[in-house]
Amino acid sequence: AENPAILSEACRVIMNALVKQDKLVIETHGLADFVLKVMRKHPDSERLQEYGCGALWNLLFRGSSKERFVTKLDGLTTITVAMKKFPNNVSLQWVGCGVIAVLSKMPELKDCLIDAGCLEVVGTAFRAHKNTQNDKTAKLKNRAHRIMSRLTAE
């Protein structure tokens, strides 16, 4: 179970399974704890980081405790480390920004997001792909712009 390839597949399965799952199932299985643990243990596995961010995005989107993710699990640090490590991976930047986008909708978390470096990594994602023109990067840039607007608004 220490193999990053196997763990990344586990995160991919979690990410995809969450699309159809009920929030009570998600909360009772401690999936965010598991995903963050394996992401921290294997920070150099690009695929694991990508699928881990995707799984966390789906967890938060489906109702997992956003405050717990930020304060108790220190999830923002894990997300920002992954985004900094792999700035050219558009898919990872997309799902990492997805996590930040969900959290940025909560005004009470704005300072935590800024302190964790989310504005920096989102800005980097935007700039790293500003000259690439395809559907995926266009969506990434649009999402990054919305997050930056939320985090810089008074």
Side-chain angles (χ1 to χ4, degrees):
E2 293 299 317
N3 183 324
I6 293 170
L7 293 170
S8 64
E9 283 304 303
C11 287
R12 185 186 64 78
V13 168
I14 291 167
M15 177 180 71
N16 292 330
L18 290 172
V19 174
K20 296 185 171 87
Q21 292 300 313
D22 176 278
K23 106 175 171 180
L24 294 173
V25 173
I26 294 166
E27 300 262 85
T28 58
H29 286 90
L31 294 177
D33 299 10
F34 168 77
V35 171
L36 288 165
K37 180 180 175 185
V38 299
M39 287 177 72
R40 290 178 185 133
K41 189 164 184 121
H42 301 284
D44 295 326
S45 173
E46 186 170 356
R47 194 166 86 174
L48 192 149
Q49 298 302 311
E50 179 185 332
Y51 290 148
C53 286
L56 293 168
W57 178 22
N58 285 341
L59 276 166
L60 292 170
F61 186 75
R62 296 289 171 213
S64 194
S65 171
K66 292 155 188 64
E67 293 86 354
R68 180 175 177 272
F69 179 81
V70 172
T71 60
K72 301 265 192 275
L73 299 179
D74 194 26
L76 289 175
T77 300
T78 306
I79 297 297
T80 57
V81 165
M83 292 177 73
K84 286 177 185 175
K85 182 125 181 126
F86 304 105
N88 296 319
N89 181 325
V90 177
S91 295
L92 190 149
Q93 298 301 313
W94 169 254
V95 292
C97 283
V99 171
I100 297 168
V102 169
L103 298 171
S104 71
K105 292 177 183 177
M106 301 178 68
E108 65 273 22
L109 296 178
K110 180 179 176 179
D111 290 339
C112 292
L113 292 163
I114 292 170
D115 292 345
C118 291
L119 192 55
E120 175 192 343
V121 294
V122 169
T124 299
F126 183 85
R127 287 186 302 279
H129 303 285
K130 71 178 181 181
N131 295 323
T132 308
Q133 299 301 322
N134 62 47
D135 191 45
K136 193 173 223 172
T137 57
K139 288 178 180 178
L140 170 62
K141 291 183 282 191
N142 187 356
R143 173 174 286 155
H145 184 265
R146 285 194 318 269
I147 293 167
M148 291 186 290
S149 296
R150 277 189 210 122
L151 293 180
T152 57
E154 291 299 316

